[in-house]
């Protein structure tokens, strides 16, 4: 058996792992562990991002009084995560595979040092044949610095760990070209850079998890732009991972995001996923916008800046805002906000963001 990829990040959503009552479906989990075991046998490195903690905890703890959103997430995830990782340990043990738990927060990826530390942890696990089983640490990550959902987390992990592919398993076959319930609606098989299918996608949320198809689509497009193939597929289908990831796999109904031909650098990958940590905004004029979004790599120069919002230090992450107010990119700034303001509109100055540290959406 030959695998199509060297290293895969596989994200499994709560709707795949939990039954109707929210209890973890061990038969489904066992099927996923079996498939991962055969992928490993075929030589592939696998990183698992698994949801299901909150759904599982909810099905176990019956609380007497109504809890607020934060407390209930903390309570349910503390119980459910213990259950979840226990089942994975048992299942992987039966294949002679060691797995390890990584609970992370968005904050743990907020600076380059934090990011490298997290990357080191997963690297040393893989080097020693341990499967990282990752989830957000829902007991401590609340509101502001929370991942939108585990799709966002899995995108960050795929990018950080230099994976060749990201598989997002949900309880539907992929992205449909209309409302899935309408007759004649079909799954979109391939999405290329520039295809805009967002208008087809409903805004319904997952019944157990926090995500939905729209965030899956946004994350998948971004990760594919970084040169990583992304597949959204139905995790309830037996054998789905082998079919997608093995060379002799059968053709399955799923949505594939074709990777950009030219992968981006590590530092740009980190910047691309740092939107939530931006400390300020740099507004640019039409000329700068055209240069930044053009074919040739361009740095952001003070002459093209019209305004600077926020207080930031040299080296912080800032957003780049087009004249119409939309955010068009993100970058690591080479001056603090005071100096950046002083240089607005000036010619012949050093770049405020060098193109090596710039990511345009
Ligand atoms: N971390 C959450 C859990 O394990 C899932 C978040 C999501 O829905 O993506 O329950």
């Amino acid at each position: 058996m030959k695998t199509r990829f060297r290293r895969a990040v596989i994200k499994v959503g709560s709707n795949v792992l939990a039954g109707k009552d929210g209890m973890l479906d061990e038969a489904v989990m066992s099927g996923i562990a079996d498939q991962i075991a055969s992928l490993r046998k075929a030589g592939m490195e696998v990183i698992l991002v698994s949801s299901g903690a909150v759904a599982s905890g909810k099905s176990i703890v019956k609380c007497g009084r109504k809890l607020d959103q934060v407390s209930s997430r903390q309570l349910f995830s503390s119980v459910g995560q213990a259950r979840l990782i226990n089942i994975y340990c048992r299942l992987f043990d039966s294949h002679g595979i060691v797995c390890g738990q990584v609970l992370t927060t968005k904050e743990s990826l907020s600076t380059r040092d934090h990011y490298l530390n997290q990357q080191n942890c997963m690297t040393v696990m893989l080097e020693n044949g341990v499967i990282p089983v990752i989830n957000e640490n829902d007991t401590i990550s609340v509101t502001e610095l929370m991942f939108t959902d585990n799709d966002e987390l899995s995108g960050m992990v795929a990018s950080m760990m230099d994976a060749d592919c990201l598989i997002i398993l949900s309880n539907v076959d992929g992205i449909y070209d209309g409302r899935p319930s309408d007759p004649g609606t079909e799954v979109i098989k391939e999405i290329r850079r520039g295809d805009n299918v967002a208008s087809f996608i409903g805004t319904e949320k997952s019944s157990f998890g926090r995500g939905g198809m729209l965030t899956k689509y946004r994350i998948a497009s971004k990760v594919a732009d970084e040169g990583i193939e992304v597949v959204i597929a139905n995790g309830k289908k037996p054998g789905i991972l082998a079919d997608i990831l093995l060379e002799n796999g059968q053709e399955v109904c799923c949505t594939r995001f074709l990777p950009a031909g030219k992968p981006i650098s590590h530092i740009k990958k980190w910047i691309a996923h740092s939107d939530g940590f931006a400390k300020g905004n740099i507004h640019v004029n039409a000329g700068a916008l055209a240069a930044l979004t053009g074919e040739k790599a361009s740095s952001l120069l003070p002459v093209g800046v019209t305004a600077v919002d926020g207080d930031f230090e040299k080296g912080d992450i800032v957003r780049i805002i087009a004249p119409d107010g939309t955010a068009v990119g993100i970058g690591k700034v080479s001056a603090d906000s005071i100096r950046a303001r002083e240089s607005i509109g000036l010619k012949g100055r050093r770049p405020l963001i060098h193109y090596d540290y710039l990511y345009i959406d």
Side-chain angles (χ1 to χ4, degrees), residues 51-54 135 138 149-150 209-211:
S51 302
V54 174
N135 197 359
D138 296 295
D149 50 38
N150 270 1
R210 295 205 297 276

Side-chain angles (χ1 to χ4, degrees), residues 99-149:
C99 71
Q101 171 175 261
V102 180
L103 294 179
T104 190
T105 62
K106 197 160 181 174
E107 214 168 358
S108 315
L109 299 163
S110 61
T111 67
R112 185 79 182 140
D113 283 351
H114 281 95
Y115 181 89
L116 293 175
N117 183 35
Q118 191 72 97
Q119 184 185 52
N120 184 60
C121 163
M122 294 178 205
T123 305
V124 75
M125 291 172 86
L126 290 176
E127 280 170 358
N128 287 282
V130 175
I131 296 190
V133 181
I134 305 169
N135 197 359
E136 181 168 10
N137 189 345
D138 296 295
T139 64
I140 53 166
S141 57
V142 289
T143 52
E144 271 165 36
L145 269 183
M146 223 161 99
F147 288 105
T148 315
D149 50 38

